Amino acid sequence: MSTPRPWPPPPRGAISLGSRERSLCVALEGLALLHVLGGLAWPLLVVGTTLVDRWIPQVAEHRFWAALIGPTIASWGLLFWFGVRHGLRRGQRWVCDALIAALLTWLPLDFALCYAFRFWPGAILDPAFGLTMLLLLLMLRPRLLVD
């Protein structure tokens, strides 16, 4: 006998997404999982090797603090993946709006910090990933239910 949950189960799919919308969700999930993998690998690159020392001149002095960025990136990617997997695939527009707001909050600030500290891999990859994710969300948004 199972113990009842203290909360209701998530709602079943409210709308049926077409093949194009499903492929957009798959692309978003893939980008989110790349964030997770990159975030998990980042501390190994910062702490375990000297590969990033030439991009971040003072990383040797601040390896611990630089390594903390990795889990932040991984957790952000996992949260994004969860939103796509359990919200967008059910046709919930509020999830899309929340992910768009998160991207519009994170992307300019993160790009500005990477640019200010002359971290060129971040200054190149942030707009590439962020704008791609934003474009995919904006393409998917009109097909979702208004909550």
Side-chain angles (χ1 to χ4, degrees), residues 51-131:
L51 291 174
V52 296
D53 288 7
R54 66 179 167 167
W55 293 317
I56 309 174
Q58 292 83 19
V59 76
E61 302 167 11
H62 307 289
R63 286 198 192 280
F64 172 75
W65 299 109
L68 287 180
I69 296 168
T72 304
I73 294 169
S75 63
W76 192 89
L78 189 61
L79 183 63
F80 199 96
W81 173 82
F82 186 83
V84 173
R85 186 78 173 175
H86 296 285
L88 293 184
R89 284 187 176 262
R90 290 190 173 110
Q92 298 174 346
R93 185 179 283 185
W94 72 267
V95 176
C96 188
D97 292 340
L99 293 175
I100 289 171
L103 274 170
L104 291 176
T105 303
W106 163 79
L107 185 59
L109 179 61
D110 198 52
F111 174 75
L113 288 171
C114 288
Y115 183 79
F117 288 105
R118 305 293 189 253
F119 180 59
W120 301 120
I124 294 168
L125 291 175
D126 285 350
F129 275 91
L131 293 175

Side-chain angles (χ1 to χ4, degrees), residues 13-31:
I15 64 170
S16 176
L17 295 178
S19 63
R20 179 173 183 245
E21 290 81 16
R22 282 194 304 269
S23 64
L24 290 173
C25 286
V26 168
L28 283 166
E29 287 175 12
L31 289 171

